[in-house]
């Protein structure tokens, strides 16, 4: 099926959905990244533990 599409419409058509997907995910990832950075600044610690990272990522995920 992909071979027929590439033959009929060209190779670049296989990337036709990449731009909307990337544009849709940028705000989500940006807010999540910013939230984690903000929380790390508010609650500084010498060495970040895996549990602390998971908690901050979970909070960032739930804000979006």
């Amino acid at each position: 099926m992909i071979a027929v599409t590439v033959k009929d419409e060209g190779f670049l058509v296989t990337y036709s959905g990449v731009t909307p997907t990337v544009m849709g995910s940028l705000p989500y990832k940006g807010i999540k990244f910013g939230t984690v950075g903000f929380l790390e600044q508010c609650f500084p610690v010498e060495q970040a533990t895996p549990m602390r990272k998971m908690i901050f990522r979970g909070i960032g995920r739930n804000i979006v």
Side-chain angles (χ1 to χ4, degrees), residues 43-62:
F43 304 102
V45 71
E46 291 293 321
Q47 188 174 11
T49 63
M51 180 60 78
R52 181 177 182 266
K53 288 181 181 180
M54 287 191 309
I55 291 170
F56 286 179
R57 288 178 187 152
I59 292 170
R61 185 179 309 127
N62 290 326

